[in-house]
């Protein structure tokens, strides 16, 4: 029990100070019937560091790690190279083992990082302000919908068919309980996003239109027209970004008129981690700031006039407003936000643009190569680093068969949309700077064989 | 007044004849002032190298980004210094005792970190075909088994992203169960005064209305008031046990029985599970749903405010309504039950709360910690956390008012108040005074049921020597406040910053950095 420092002698001395005979005396408020006096059945006792390490390593080895195989999965989580110094820095104990900065005088490190993160996020997404992170992209997306409801006092949200189906699912779950009306649709294997369909549905009851950019199939479309149409009906445009590296190459949603931009920040600094913890990005225009959920860090001065940072606008928050709070979010993803911010600082504008260029060029070349395979058709004419192929067979069994050969070929739309027959042949392929030309060749030959 | 960070860190040369008692740079020996990345970085600097982009045609349509983004870059050595210097302005559990009551900051073993970074876990995509990630599902399944067994409950939902997200999961399951029984009229959740602020916020976010239940003078739920309020419009109660006064609710079983009899459900905020793990099973107390903050009881790093992870354990009655996705053993194989595979026996699930599987990186850390402690070690965790808290309670009660000190032992945290401090001195002064003594202050002004509350939670990973040193500092600061020492009113004196103006920050919010010149032009 290497984590417990008290010795038997300490315990005896402390019980004497307290005036108790045994530690059982300290549990007197627990009724006898509720006490567990013996050991917990069915659970092992403590293990050495070495034994635990062996156990966990054995479990880890049962998984196919992305770095060990030709790898093309995306759809909301992306494999990018993270510089070694990012992980080194977030493991400094003063960052890793600090709590929420409730005492700002001795938490300036975390607070300054939050302020820098907010600024980086706001600039990348093209908005005035950003918060200091949410749990992830999918929950940030629902928070944006509820924020639009608060702002417009309307409860109807129109969700694009190009929005990640899990994000749609989260929104549907919540809407069931809050009574919001969600208008959702399925994507189609069409070359272009569903902008015109969305515009046709906006009416006087609409609080917001939610659109992903680039969307679930990888398509990118100009959001300006959509923003204009939404604003004409006094509705908000919510843009969702699941691959922020894309914004090193394409225009930001804020620039094109989005009022709220949320995102999944995982692809910068955070790593795949089987789905979490990730980092939710949340930015909006200045006039909406007091309706924004989550933690905010603000600049101020100390008693000597020196610049410093504090958590601020907490009157929106649950510990002050209780049931009238803008959201119940209390914790955020600050350690992941730190990793994001460090990686972004290492990239800088120049590095981000290079990274984006490498991703796009690699994806573009891979799309051309894969489209040469007989039985493969490239569906998406515009994309960033992720594109959709239409196979001559159902994609799901193909993906499974290739996984058995040690190739993670992409995400079959059949996995994401099991009930949509029209999407069954769709395969979404992501290419990043970690993908080699050999990987692409391996995938091309394997597809050739599987589709023959 | 130092001007170092007023205009940003720009090297300047001192003028002849200038003299100051302060340092020229604003630095203090090892404690260095650090400017913002926007003041020291530039758009042309980068700390990464890339191979040249392969040639290929652009598929960006006409959406290529042609305007500047405004992201400063630093070279690798500059970045390492920037973040290392910033880290030194933080207090952290690795530096000393972090006695935040109700927040539970304990030692974070580095083995947890190493295990979470094994490529098989850290470099695993959430949409990997299920046959290729059986080890990850096994981690989830093993952790779930520990949580269900330790709590004596029936099932667990692993996907909630944090404690408050777990609360939401629990109350949505309650709503779904009531709706399935045709009990749509039950719209009220009763929340005791001592509850975390997230409890009422969660209830409201899930579409319930919230009513408070008062506390007794002994800091417990007022059982009579609770029973009187129960009725056909009540969906249930949200209760914290051990509660936020650091006390066990001895009437918990009676509360649960009364709520069940009246047709409602019992939600328990399990934030303080570390005080009873291995000694009390919430399932034996009649609880229907309880979230467990993995970072608190099972030590995953909180990293300046998150990530959290909030699995929720359920009673048999609520199990059918638990969210998707979840991992299920089918034969010798782990299956992922999602929307499409939910089938008939999971048809009542209230749906999906989050994009993927929850906080996998936290699950590996928590399982590592649990296996290291084992069932015997976890029981010792509860005993030592309670012993340490009572040691602080009894070592302080002659210098500080302990409102429930007469009521018997506390659980994992000890509560004090500002009663008896001279006019003009309050809890905040004691907190800031502790900073100068080298300690992070306790939780202040919470719970609201105690005036000027100071909630101290030492946890089980503190040695007696560390506790004695803290007690010495705490007693000294309390004594100075009682004696009206004016120096303590302006504390902290030795922190990287003196008292910060929080009112100014809220009144004139500055949430992003702007070029000083541009900011002036705008005014």
């Amino acid at each position: 029990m290497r984590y417990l420092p008290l010795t038997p002698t300490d315990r005896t001395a402390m019980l004497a100070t307290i005036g108790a005979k045994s530690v059982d005396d300290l549990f007197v408020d627990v009724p006898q019937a509720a006490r567990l006096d013996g050991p917990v059945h069915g659970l092992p006792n403590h293990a050495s560091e070495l034994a635990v390490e062996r156990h966990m390593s054995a479990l880890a080895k049962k998984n196919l790690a992305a770095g060990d195989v030709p790898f093309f999965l995306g759809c909301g989580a992306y494999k990018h190279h993270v510089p070694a110094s990012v992980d080194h820095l977030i493991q400094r104990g003063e960052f890793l083992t600090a709590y929420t900065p409730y005492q700002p005088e001795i938490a300036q490190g975390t607070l300054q990082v939050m302020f820098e993160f907010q600024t980086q996020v706001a600039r990348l997404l093209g908005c005035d302000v950003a918060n200091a992170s949410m749990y992830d992209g999918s929950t940030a997306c629902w928070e944006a919908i509820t924020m639009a409801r608060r702002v417009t006092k309307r409860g109807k949200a129109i969700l694009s068919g190009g929005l990640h189906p899990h994000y749609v699912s989260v929104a549907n779950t919540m809407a069931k309980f809050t009574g919001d009306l969600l208008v959702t649709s399925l994507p189609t294997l069409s070359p272009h996003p569903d902008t015109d369909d969305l515009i046709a549905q906006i009416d006087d009851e609409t609080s917001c239109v939610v659109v992903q950019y680039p969307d679930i199939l990888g398509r990118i479309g100009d959001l300006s027209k959509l923003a204009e149409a939404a604003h004409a009906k006094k509705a908000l445009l919510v843009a969702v970004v699941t691959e922020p590296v894309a914004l090193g190459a394409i225009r930001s949603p804020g620039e094109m008129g989005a009022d709220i931009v949320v995102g999944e920040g995982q692809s910068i600094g955070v790593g795949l981690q089987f789905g979490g913890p990730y980092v939710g990005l949340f930015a909006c225009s200045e006039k909406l700031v007091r309706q924004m959920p989550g933690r905010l860090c603000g600049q101020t001065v100390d008693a000597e006039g020196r610049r410093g940072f504090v958590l601020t606008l907490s009157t929106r928050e649950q510990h002050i407003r209780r049931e009238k709070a803008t959201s119940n979010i209390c914790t955020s993803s600050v350690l992941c936000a730190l990793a994001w911010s460090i990686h972004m600082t290492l990239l800088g504008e120049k590095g981000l643009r290079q990274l984006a260029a490498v991703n796009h060029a690699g994806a573009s070349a891979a799309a051309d190569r894969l489209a040469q395979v007989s039985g493969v058709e490239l569906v998406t004419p515009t994309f960033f680093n992720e594109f959709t192929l239409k196979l001559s067979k159902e994609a799901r069994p193909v993906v499974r068969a290739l996984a058995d050969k040690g190739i993670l070929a992409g995400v079959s739309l059949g996995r994401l949309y099991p009930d949509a027959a029209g999407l069954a042949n769709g395969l979404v392929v992501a290419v990043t700077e970690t993908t080699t030309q050999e990987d692409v060749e391996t995938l091309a030959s394997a597809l050739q064989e599987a589709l023959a | 007044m130092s001007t170092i960070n007023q205009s940003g860190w720009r090297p300047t040369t001192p003028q002849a004849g200038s003299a100051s008692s302060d340092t020229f740079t604003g630095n203090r020996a090892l404690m260095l002032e650090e400017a913002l990345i926007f003041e020291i970085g530039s758009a042309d600097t980068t700390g990464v190298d890339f191979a040249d982009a392969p040639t290929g045609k652009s598929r960006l349509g006409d959406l290529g980004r042609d305007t500047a983004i405004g992201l400063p870059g630093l070279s690798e050595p500059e970045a390492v210094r920037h973040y290392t210097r910033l880290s030194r302005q933080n207090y952290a559990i690795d530096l000393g005792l972090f006695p935040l009551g109700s927040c539970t900051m304990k030692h974070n073993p580095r083995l947890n970190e190493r295990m979470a970074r094994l490529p098989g876990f850290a470099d695993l995509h959430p949409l990997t075909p299920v046959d290729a990630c059986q080890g990850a599902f096994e981690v989830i399944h093993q952790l779930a088994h520990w949580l269900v067994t330790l709590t004596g409950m029936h099932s667990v939902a692993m996907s909630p992203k944090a404690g408050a997200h777990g609360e939401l999961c629990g109350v949505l399951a309650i709503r779904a169960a009531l709706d399935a029984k045709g009990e749509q009229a039950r719209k009220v959740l009763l929340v005791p005064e001592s509850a975390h602020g997230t409890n009422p916020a969660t209830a409201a976010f899930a579409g319930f209305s919230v009513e408070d239940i008062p506390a007794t003078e002994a800091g417990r739920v007022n059982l009579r008031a609770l029973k009187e309020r129960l009725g056909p419009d009540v969906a249930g109660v949200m209760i914290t046990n051990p509660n936020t006064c650091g006390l066990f609710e001895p009437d918990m079983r009676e509360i649960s029985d009364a709520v069940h009899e009246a047709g409602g459900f019992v939600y328990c905020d399990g934030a303080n599970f570390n005080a009873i793990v291995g000694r009390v099973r919430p399932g034996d107390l009649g609880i229907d749903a309880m979230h467990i903050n993995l970072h608190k009881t099972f030590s995953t790093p909180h990293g300046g405010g998150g990530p959290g992870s909030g699995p929720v354990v359920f009673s048999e009655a609520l199990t059918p309504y638990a969210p998707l996705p979840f991992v299920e053993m089918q034969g010798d194989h782990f299956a992922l039950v999602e929307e499409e595979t939910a089938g008939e026996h999971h048809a009542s699930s209230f749906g999906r709360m989050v994009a993927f599987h929850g906080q996998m990186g936290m699950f590996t850390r928590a399982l590592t910690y649990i296996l290291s402690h084992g069932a015997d070690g976890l029981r010792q965790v509860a005993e030592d956390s309670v012993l340490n808290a009572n040691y602080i309670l009894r070592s302080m009660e002659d210098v500080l008012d302990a409102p429930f000190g007469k009521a018997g032992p506390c659980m994992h945290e000890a509560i004090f108040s500002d009663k008896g401090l001279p006019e003009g001195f309050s809890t905040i002064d004691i907190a800031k005074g502790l900073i100068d003594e080298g300690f992070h202050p306790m939780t202040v002004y919470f719970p609201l049921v105690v005036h000027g509350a100071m909630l101290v939670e030492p946890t089980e990973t503190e040695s007696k020597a560390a506790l004695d040193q803290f007690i010495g500092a705490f007693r000294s600061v309390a004594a100075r406040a009682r004696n009206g020492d004016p120096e303590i009113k302006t504390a902290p004196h030795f922190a990287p910053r003196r008292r910060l103006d929080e009112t100014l920050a809220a009144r004139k919010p500055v949430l992003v950095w702007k070029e000083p010149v541009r900011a002036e032009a705008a005014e």
Side-chain angles (χ1 to χ4, degrees):
Chain A
M1 298 186 202
R2 54 194 178 276
Y3 305 143
L4 300 176
L6 295 185
T7 65
T9 318
D10 291 335
R11 293 187 183 111
T12 308
M14 291 164 73
L15 283 169
T17 302
I18 294 165
K21 280 200 287 295
S22 78
V23 77
D24 283 339
D25 292 355
L26 303 178
F27 286 85
V28 287
D29 283 341
V30 181
Q32 200 60 47
R35 287 196 206 177
L36 196 61
D37 281 330
V40 189
H41 288 296
L43 299 176
N45 282 342
H46 64 283
S48 69
E49 180 155 334
L50 176 61
V52 175
E53 213 169 323
R54 277 195 186 127
H55 178 86
M56 296 301 290
S57 301
L59 292 176
K61 283 187 189 129
K62 294 183 183 178
N63 302 318
L64 206 52
D68 291 344
V69 293
F71 177 86
F72 299 91
L73 302 185
C75 288
Y78 301 87
K79 177 168 177 56
H80 289 286
H81 178 254
V82 179
S85 45
V86 174
D87 197 42
H88 170 80
L89 288 165
I90 70 164
Q91 286 201 72
R92 281 190 64 90
E94 305 92 324
F95 283 134
L96 187 76
T97 75
Y99 197 73
T100 309
Y102 290 142
Q103 296 289 339
E105 294 85 1
I106 47 172
Q108 286 297 300
T110 290
L111 284 160
Q112 183 167 332
V113 167
M114 289 165 93
F115 186 78
E116 292 177 346
F117 172 84
Q118 287 170 192
T119 310
Q120 287 172 316
V121 170
R123 290 180 174 194
L124 183 69
L125 304 182
C127 296
D128 301 330
V129 288
N131 74 11
S133 82
M134 316 284 288
Y135 306 142
D136 77 336
S138 66
T139 49
C141 177
W142 170 251
E143 291 281 354
I145 293 169
T146 60
M147 181 169 148
R149 183 214 305 150
R150 286 196 300 278
V151 171
T152 62
K153 299 186 172 61
R154 300 171 180 175
K156 176 181 164 189
I158 300 167
L159 274 50
S160 158
L163 179 61
H164 196 295
H166 289 173
Y167 290 35
V168 174
S169 208
V170 171
N172 268 320
T173 297
M174 293 306 302
K176 252 191 326 203
F177 294 100
T178 54
D180 291 58
L181 175 65
L182 299 190
V183 182
T184 60
S185 53
L186 283 176
T188 56
L189 290 182
S190 118
H192 301 290
D194 49 359
T195 310
D196 293 335
D197 293 345
L198 292 173
I199 289 174
Q201 295 184 64
I202 304 172
D203 60 22
D204 292 334
E205 303 303 311
T206 306
S207 64
C208 62
V209 182
V210 186
V211 61
Q212 187 174 316
Y213 170 88
D215 77 2
I216 188 70
L217 302 188
R219 301 170 297 195
I220 41 182
D222 193 339
L223 304 182
S224 312
K225 229 172 95 182
L226 197 52
E228 213 172 284
H231 294 159
K233 295 275 186 194
K234 297 193 164 40
L236 303 183
L237 178 63
V238 176
V240 179
V241 177
T242 64
E243 172 49 298
V245 173
L247 301 183
I250 54 177
R251 294 172 67 193
S252 69
E255 242 181 294
M256 292 184 280
D259 304 278
I260 306 172
V261 185
V262 295
E264 174 51 71
Q266 172 274 328
S267 75
I268 294 175
V270 177
L272 289 169
Q273 307 199 80
F274 204 50
Y278 284 176
V279 52
L281 311 178
F282 197 113
C284 64
S285 59
E286 188 128 40
K287 63 175 196 289
L288 301 178
V289 66
R290 283 173 199 272
Q291 291 297 329
M292 182 156 56
R295 297 284 192 192
L296 281 172
C297 170
Q299 182 181 311
T300 187
V301 293
D302 78 350
E304 291 178 0
R306 291 178 295 177
R307 176 171 68 188
F309 302 94
V310 294
L311 290 178
T312 194
L313 299 187
S314 45
T315 44
R316 306 162 300 123
E317 286 191 76
Q318 30 75 25
H319 63 276
I320 308 243
R321 298 257 291 164
R322 292 173 72 92
E323 68 269 21
K324 294 188 184 69
T326 50
S327 158
N328 78 327
I329 280 191
C330 178
T331 196
S332 47
S333 273
V334 175
L335 192 66
C336 298
L338 170 68
W340 193 98
S341 193
I342 297 171
H343 192 182
M344 190 55 94
T345 301
L346 282 165
L347 289 166
E349 181 128 358
K350 185 179 175 188
L352 179 69
R353 283 177 182 274
Q354 280 175 340
L355 175 63
V358 170
N359 271 255
H360 183 58
S364 196
D368 287 339
R369 173 67 187 93
L370 295 171
Q372 288 168 9
V373 174
S374 127
V376 174
E377 184 192 326
L378 176 65
V379 174
T380 43
T382 62
F383 58 84
F384 170 62
N385 67 353
E386 189 172 26
F387 49 84
T388 298
L389 302 176
K390 188 176 175 189
L391 309 184
S392 55
K393 283 184 180 168
E394 261 192 48
R396 206 163 184 194
V398 173
V399 167
R400 284 199 198 115
L402 265 57
D404 289 342
K405 293 185 181 173
I407 301 164
L408 294 175
V411 178
S412 64
L413 288 173
R415 172 158 186 182
L416 294 176
Y417 303 94
D419 299 326
L423 295 170
N425 292 22
L427 177 68
V428 184
V429 174
V431 171
T432 73
E433 76 285 359
T434 65
T435 317
T436 64
Q437 255 177 349
E438 294 75 56
D439 293 339
V440 176
E441 281 308 320
T442 307
L443 176 61
S445 339
L447 275 178
Q448 185 110 37
E449 203 177 306
L451 298 174
Chain B
M1 177 173 113
S2 165
T3 56
I4 185 69
N5 263 343
Q6 301 299 315
S7 60
W9 189 85
R10 304 267 189 245
T12 53
T13 309
Q15 298 303 306
S18 69
S20 164
S21 59
D22 209 345
T23 53
F24 165 69
T25 51
N27 297 338
R28 285 177 171 79
L30 287 173
M31 184 52 71
L32 307 180
E33 286 291 321
E34 186 62 16
L36 293 161
I37 51 173
F38 308 96
E39 293 159 345
I40 52 178
S42 84
D44 302 326
T45 306
T46 181
V48 292
D49 288 320
F50 289 105
D52 289 335
T55 48
K57 60 178 184 243
S58 166
R59 256 63 177 245
L60 298 177
D62 53 0
L63 290 171
R65 190 159 194 164
D66 41 21
T67 52
I69 308 170
L71 294 168
L74 294 177
S75 66
E76 185 173 310
E78 292 173 300
V80 169
R81 278 193 186 155
H82 176 71
Y83 291 102
T84 303
R85 287 171 173 175
L86 285 182
S87 75
R88 288 157 52 87
Q89 299 185 16
N90 268 5
Y91 192 92
I93 193 72
D94 279 3
L95 291 166
L97 197 140
F98 216 127
L100 280 173
S102 164
C103 296
T104 315
M105 280 297 282
K106 61 174 71 170
H107 172 60
N108 288 169
R110 290 315 190 274
L111 177 64
N112 302 354
E113 296 304 306
R114 190 195 281 179
M115 294 304 94
R117 284 172 173 79
L118 291 170
F121 300 134
D123 195 25
L124 188 62
H125 193 283
L127 296 171
T128 302
V130 293
D131 289 343
C133 52
Q134 288 287 304
F137 289 147
E138 202 169 339
V139 166
I140 295 175
H141 199 259
Q142 285 185 3
L143 180 58
H145 176 71
W146 277 88
L147 297 180
V148 165
T149 309
L150 288 170
T151 54
M153 301 287 280
H154 197 261
S155 64
V156 59
M158 299 296 287
S159 64
K161 287 270 181 183
H165 205 221
E167 291 174 23
L168 189 60
C169 174
V171 300
L172 291 184
I174 289 174
R175 180 76 269 163
L178 290 170
D179 288 350
K181 290 198 282 184
E183 299 249 34
Q184 276 83 2
R186 293 186 182 269
K187 290 192 185 306
V188 177
L189 271 175
L190 306 178
V191 182
E193 276 181 337
S194 60
H196 284 124
T198 47
N199 289 178
T202 297
F205 205 56
F208 289 97
S209 57
V210 178
E211 286 182 28
D212 288 348
I213 293 294
T216 64
E217 281 191 9
R220 269 80 169 192
V221 175
N222 186 325
L223 182 62
R224 193 198 294 171
L226 178 86
K227 280 184 169 172
E228 277 169 9
R229 182 57 192 84
L230 291 172
D233 60 336
V234 173
V237 293
M238 294 183 84
I239 201 163
T240 305
N241 195 18
N243 71 22
T244 39
C245 297
L247 303 170
F248 194 83
E249 297 285 355
D251 299 328
M252 192 66 226
R253 185 75 234 190
E254 205 178 339
I255 293 171
S256 300
D257 290 345
V259 173
H260 289 155
E261 206 169 299
F265 290 97
V266 179
Y267 186 84
C268 181
D269 184 321
N272 304 324
F273 187 52
N274 65 317
I276 56 170
V277 59
R279 278 205 150 249
V280 179
R281 286 182 301 210
D284 297 339
L285 299 170
I287 285 159
D288 291 295
M290 180 180 97
H291 76 265
I292 299 167
N293 297 66
L294 292 185
H295 74 274
K296 292 184 176 184
T297 301
F298 302 117
S299 183
T300 62
H302 207 47
S309 180
V312 180
V313 286
F314 286 114
S315 64
E316 194 168 1
L318 288 186
T319 292
Y321 308 98
L324 302 168
F326 53 88
V327 174
E328 198 174 67
M329 191 133 194
Q330 295 178 355
D332 58 352
H333 201 84
F334 293 102
L336 181 66
V337 178
E338 293 186 277
E339 288 86 335
E340 55 166 308
T341 45
E344 284 141 31
H345 65 304
H346 300 300
S348 312
S349 164
F350 72 72
R352 178 186 284 272
M353 292 189 78
V354 69
F356 301 115
H357 315 296
Q359 308 288 64
M360 183 64 196
M362 301 291 118
F363 302 161
T364 49
R365 288 172 174 89
L367 182 60
T368 300
Y369 188 77
I370 282 175
L371 295 172
S372 300
H373 266 303
D376 54 338
L378 290 172
R379 187 181 166 90
Q380 191 71 53
V381 160
E383 294 185 358
D384 285 358
S385 70
V386 172
L387 180 63
N388 282 355
N390 279 282
Y391 185 61
I392 287 180
L393 176 69
R394 299 306 171 199
S395 302
M396 292 299 300
E397 60 187 351
D398 61 321
V399 288
L400 272 182
D401 172 59
F404 307 122
K406 297 275 185 299
C410 59
M411 294 302 284
H412 56 295
E413 55 195 356
I415 194 163
F416 304 99
S417 85
D418 62 358
K419 193 169 151 192
L421 294 185
E423 185 74 27
F425 286 80
S426 59
T427 294
I428 192 79
D429 303 314
I430 292 184
K432 300 300 182 191
L434 266 173
I435 291 177
D436 280 343
E437 294 289 340
F439 287 99
H440 194 284
M442 57 281 155
T443 294
V444 292
Y445 301 108
F446 182 84
L448 304 175
V449 286
V450 170
H451 189 273
M454 294 172 236
L455 189 59
V456 184
E457 176 166 13
T459 81
E460 69 280 0
T461 60
E462 296 306 330
S463 68
K464 180 169 180 293
L467 295 178
D468 286 338
Q469 195 183 34
F470 173 72
I471 288 165
F474 199 10
R475 287 183 65 90
S476 159
V477 173
R480 286 171 63 198
R482 289 177 83 98
N483 295 334
D485 179 354
E487 283 283 297
I488 216 165
K489 292 289 305 171
T490 52
H493 299 94
F494 309 121
R497 285 290 178 272
R498 301 291 300 276
R499 275 193 210 195
L500 285 151
D501 189 344
E502 301 192 28
T503 313
L504 174 71
R507 213 175 55 230
K508 289 181 146 181
V510 179
L511 306 173
V512 293
W513 188 82
K514 288 184 182 132
E515 280 287 349
V517 180
R518 227 193 301 154
E520 276 162 28
E523 274 168 14

